[in-house]
Amino acid sequence: MEIRQEETEAADRNKPQPYCDLWSRSSKLLLSSVNRGWCGLSAELRRHGQSVFPWRGPQTDTHIIVDIIGSEALITRRATGIVDRYVSRRGTAWLSPPGWSEGSIDITGDLPGILHLYLSPNQFSPNKLGIDIDESAIGAREHESTFEDPLLTAIACAIASELQTETSAGSLLVESLASSIAARLLQKHASTSFARSYPLLKAKGLDRRRLVRVLDYIETNLEADLSIDRIASVACLSRNHFARAFRLAVGQPPHRYVSARRLERAKALLTRGDRPLVDIALSLGFSGQANFTRAFKQATGHAPGRYCQTAGSRRSEFSLTDVRRSLPVLA
């Protein structure tokens, strides 16, 4: 039931959202996560010009806005009891908590790269975070002033990069980053009383039995819909605990491991030459052939067609057994 609910949510978030209308009237949409199949988070990269418009946020999502380029434009946000003036630079960010619907924004110059992130409320659920919280603690005061957060900026840039150049494990990456954003908001941008009581979780690596089970599941489902939640359920762990434990055990986060394995699967399928390129692209998590071609060329230095010519009948020498043999024995 939970998986079906998340799939429904992903489908809903692929549709244009009504709260984006205000931003649309004052900006140009450059990139969007629509039709990417992302779960838990949606994103838009926009170029804003000089304008004044209402400051409103979504009714349920947490809206995070990050300047990922920098512009030196003066921005003034006004609302009841709030007058926030600042010069927007790379890394400048602000929050709009769920339900916020009163105020205005005055932009005096050009903002060439503003990333809008809409974080789903289920990212703050006990099942996702491993703790029970009151979501109203998020942005309780932080929406009143602009802030800079290097970690949040790095996450925003990673999401913008995925928007620009789709990767085979992009959905897994964004799913992990959505969890990271939720955890960061709790750690740095929640009410002071809650932040003081926020527990630090100790991360432990996966034991070898669970790790082999997870690797087998990933290998079997490289051409299926792999999500952090589904892989974590194979290990019988919460998604946050699993992501940390997997990284400790393998040395890289789940999305990077899946991306590397899908690249090897793509090489094998191309070498066989019995499936259309578009079919390979869609089966490995890309939204289309063009994005697959771009990512494959970036990773290998060759376009898929050229790789087929140079590879001939050669098979990939990489095997799951090699991965297992190289894994440390964990208690």
Side-chain angles (χ1 to χ4, degrees):
M1 180 62 71
E2 181 180 350
I3 291 177
R4 290 179 181 175
Q5 289 175 344
E6 292 200 355
E7 289 174 344
T8 300
E9 177 193 326
D12 290 341
R13 299 182 71 79
N14 289 335
K15 302 175 183 178
Q17 301 298 321
Y19 50 75
C20 298
D21 291 344
L22 293 171
W23 299 102
S24 300
R25 299 169 192 168
S26 62
S27 64
K28 179 181 179 181
L29 179 64
L30 303 177
L31 297 168
S32 172
S33 62
V34 170
N35 297 326
R36 290 295 183 91
W38 293 1
C39 184
L41 179 146
S42 58
E44 292 182 335
L45 183 63
R46 289 186 171 274
R47 182 188 189 99
H48 292 271
Q50 182 176 351
S51 57
V52 179
F53 55 95
W55 172 19
R56 294 180 183 175
Q59 291 301 307
T60 58
D61 291 354
T62 298
H63 185 190
I64 306 105
I65 304 171
V66 185
D67 188 339
I68 62 172
I69 295 180
S71 65
E72 303 296 323
L74 177 64
I75 299 178
T76 303
R77 297 185 301 144
R78 293 185 177 89
T80 303
I82 301 174
V83 178
D84 180 31
R85 291 189 178 92
Y86 59 94
V87 175
S88 187
R89 300 181 176 86
R90 186 178 186 276
T92 297
W94 76 82
L95 299 174
S96 290
W100 181 260
S101 59
E102 182 179 356
S104 66
I105 296 179
D106 184 348
I107 302 175
T108 63
D110 189 41
L111 300 173
I114 301 295
L115 186 68
H116 295 259
L117 302 173
Y118 299 95
L119 194 63
S120 169
N122 77 357
Q123 295 300 316
F124 301 101
S125 68
N127 182 52
K128 300 289 186 182
L129 293 172
I131 56 175
D132 194 2
I133 69 162
D134 179 2
E135 191 184 344
S136 63
I138 306 300
R141 289 197 309 274
E142 291 295 335
H143 71 281
E144 298 180 5
S145 61
T146 307
F147 61 90
E148 293 186 6
D149 185 334
L151 179 58
L152 185 60
T153 301
I155 293 174
C157 289
I159 293 173
S161 177
E162 181 62 30
L163 279 176
Q164 185 174 17
T165 305
E166 186 180 13
T167 63
S168 63
S171 294
L172 263 72
L173 169 62
V174 171
E175 197 174 351
S176 297
L177 293 179
S179 295
S180 298
I181 293 173
R184 187 60 170 182
L185 292 181
L186 288 177
Q187 182 186 28
K188 292 292 186 180
H189 307 289
S191 61
T192 304
S193 60
F194 180 82
R196 281 199 300 261
S197 62
Y198 181 66
L200 296 177
L201 303 177
K202 293 183 178 180
K204 296 181 179 180
L206 291 173
D207 61 82
R208 189 177 184 87
R209 182 177 299 178
R210 289 192 190 194
L211 183 56
V212 169
R213 189 164 69 240
V214 165
L215 295 182
D216 282 339
Y217 178 81
I218 291 174
E219 198 70 17
T220 303
N221 292 277
L222 285 175
E223 297 183 49
D225 182 18
L226 284 171
S227 70
I228 293 294
D229 282 340
R230 286 176 176 172
I231 302 175
S233 69
V234 174
C236 300
L237 296 172
S238 69
R239 61 186 280 176
N240 280 355
H241 187 183
F242 166 75
R244 290 188 293 268
F246 186 93
R247 184 166 189 165
L248 284 173
V250 179
Q252 58 184 327
H255 75 272
R256 287 189 180 175
Y257 177 82
V258 171
S259 181
R261 294 302 306 130
R262 280 178 166 167
L263 175 62
E264 294 302 319
R265 177 64 59 85
K267 290 178 180 179
L269 293 175
L270 288 169
T271 301
R272 279 165 44 185
D274 58 354
R275 290 172 62 177
L277 187 57
V278 65
D279 180 40
I280 295 175
L282 295 176
S283 68
L284 294 178
F286 289 90
S287 60
Q289 179 176 327
N291 285 331
F292 168 70
T293 299
R294 188 182 303 110
F296 188 89
K297 186 174 183 179
Q298 184 176 14
T300 66
H302 299 286
R306 177 62 178 167
Y307 179 84
C308 290
Q309 296 175 3
T310 58
S313 60
R314 182 182 59 194
R315 300 281 182 172
S316 172
E317 298 178 356
F318 183 92
S319 71
L320 186 59
T321 303
D322 296 331
V323 176
R324 291 175 178 168
R325 287 174 178 170
S326 65
L327 294 173
V329 179
L330 300 175

